[in-house]
Amino acid sequence: MSILREQEASGMRMGAEFSRPWPLRVNPHVDQARDSAIAWMLEFGLLRGERAVREFVDWRLAEVAAFFYPRASAEDCCTAAQMMGWYFLPFDDQLDGDLGRDPHRVSQVCTALIAIVHGTTDVRSHDAPTVRAFADLWGRMVRGMSPSLRSRVAFHWSSYFSSQLTEAMDRSNGYSYLDLETYFDFRAATTCAFGQNDLAEKWGGSEVPAVVWHHPVLKRMRQLGADLVAIRNDSMSTSHEDVDGLHNAIHIIERTQSCTREEAVERASALGQEKVSQLVAIEEEQLPQLLSHLDGAQQRAVLGYADTIHDWICGDYEWEQISARHASHRPMPEWASELLVAAGS
């Protein structure tokens, strides 16, 4: 029985649901990527013990890399799986706990990571396993990128790290969003949505020329993709964020629309379906107009970019269904509390 069927049979609440009129694609190198990611994380101390390895497998982090980057080579798929492994427990989950309520400490950590992105730090000065691992990972993530894409991916990953400090400040101040669209603008940064999309251009062979990438049609398409991922992820992670979280679309709907959790998920589903319809309409009505002004290579790159957004939406939706990460609140393992502590010291 699949995880999804087990959830339905047990009566567990499912997250926001919406149609996905694009195929789910899976990288054929997923098994190799899983083994590579586990070995790499053990090497840097990001996984400790058999239970931690089992959780990595159960969270399906190699699978999410394979869903997001279905056209990546075996080597790049391995790097993508390592990146996904780094992204969650060693970094993202750390900032859901006590560390994420201390803006000063978060600033130290994220300053070190941003310095790695821009090549302005000596990583040997940082003792934290998560920081040292990211330095090793980043060099391979950006290897071979064009200057244009390299600049863009650095901007988006810096924005991602900066957003973690903003969230820490918000937790400290008790700040809550009052409208969803403003929240979604910020949420794209906190998930590194656009930075993840940038990597798909390198790992999928569809780099969009800078002169086209900033076009309003593509800007709206990628924002809708990020919104759909946020809706799905937030609705699936409430069991964790009811305890440790702050910014969550379901919480915002409950608070601003004075409704129950079940009603909030239903309204999030309706909003997600509306955004799918908007994306489909853009691709049917506005994207062809853009393509008509481009040469053949530019057209192929833009169509490949649209596929990247589809892979992001469908891949996240599938991953949220099969991953054990959201089955319950995720307490931080005692051994993991040291992964970021020494950063910036």
Side-chain angles (χ1 to χ4, degrees), residues 13-36:
R13 180 190 60 78
M14 299 302 297
E17 299 183 345
F18 43 81
S19 67
R20 300 161 316 283
W22 313 284
L24 175 71
R25 303 190 296 174
V26 185
N27 192 294
H29 307 295
V30 59
D31 293 333
Q32 179 182 346
R34 183 186 305 107
D35 292 342
S36 171

Side-chain angles (χ1 to χ4, degrees), residues 52-294:
V53 172
R54 286 198 306 271
E55 287 184 347
F56 176 91
V57 174
D58 291 344
W59 284 15
R60 308 294 183 93
L61 299 181
E63 282 80 355
V64 74
F67 296 154
F68 286 176
Y69 308 107
R71 295 176 291 178
S73 68
E75 180 181 359
D76 288 339
C77 189
C78 289
T79 301
Q82 293 168 21
M83 182 264 290
M84 288 298 178
W86 180 91
Y87 178 95
F88 287 102
L89 174 64
F91 184 69
D92 184 81
D93 282 7
Q94 302 290 321
L95 301 183
D96 285 342
D98 292 340
L99 175 61
R101 287 164 174 75
D102 186 338
H104 176 70
R105 293 174 69 198
V106 173
S107 177
Q108 288 184 315
V109 169
C110 292
T111 295
L113 294 169
I114 289 172
I116 291 170
V117 166
H118 292 288
T120 58
T121 187
D122 180 357
V123 72
R124 291 172 297 182
S125 65
H126 301 286
D127 297 328
T130 297
V131 176
R132 288 188 289 102
F134 184 73
D136 173 79
L137 183 63
W138 181 256
R140 288 179 288 112
M141 286 166 59
V142 301
R143 184 184 302 153
M145 280 186 176
S146 69
S148 173
L149 182 55
R150 176 69 174 79
S151 175
R152 176 154 41 91
V153 76
F155 174 84
H156 285 140
W157 277 78
S158 295
S159 176
Y160 167 54
F161 294 133
S162 176
S163 73
Q164 305 308 308
L165 175 58
T166 303
E167 282 202 308
M169 293 176 179
D170 289 347
R171 293 186 187 101
S172 178
N173 298 331
Y175 175 78
S176 298
Y177 280 89
L178 298 178
D179 73 275
L180 283 172
E181 293 309 310
T182 302
Y183 165 71
F184 286 141
D185 285 343
F186 178 61
R187 188 73 165 97
T190 65
T191 59
C192 200
F194 303 147
Q196 299 277 5
N197 291 164
D198 292 337
L199 290 169
E201 292 182 62
K202 175 178 183 286
W203 293 338
S206 296
E207 181 178 340
V208 180
V211 71
V212 181
W213 189 87
H214 297 277
H215 192 281
V217 167
L218 297 188
K219 179 179 180 181
R220 183 57 181 157
M221 287 171 60
R222 59 178 164 265
Q223 183 64 55
L224 285 168
D227 294 352
L228 287 164
V229 169
I231 289 169
R232 180 66 171 167
N233 179 266
D234 283 3
S235 69
M236 295 295 284
S237 64
T238 50
S239 62
H240 176 69
E241 294 189 1
D242 283 340
V243 178
D244 280 339
L246 175 67
H247 297 325
N248 182 290
I250 303 303
H251 292 168
I252 295 171
I253 294 172
E254 288 177 324
R255 184 171 60 251
T256 60
Q257 301 183 26
S258 301
C259 62
T260 65
R261 173 63 52 84
E262 183 178 0
E263 290 170 336
V265 173
E266 290 177 354
R267 294 177 190 187
S269 297
L271 179 60
Q273 192 60 57
E274 178 184 338
K275 288 179 179 291
V276 169
S277 297
Q278 289 178 31
L279 181 54
V280 169
I282 289 172
E283 294 186 7
E284 290 179 348
E285 300 166 9
Q286 298 180 39
L287 189 59
Q289 297 176 26
L290 170 59
L291 292 171
S292 70
H293 296 287
L294 305 179

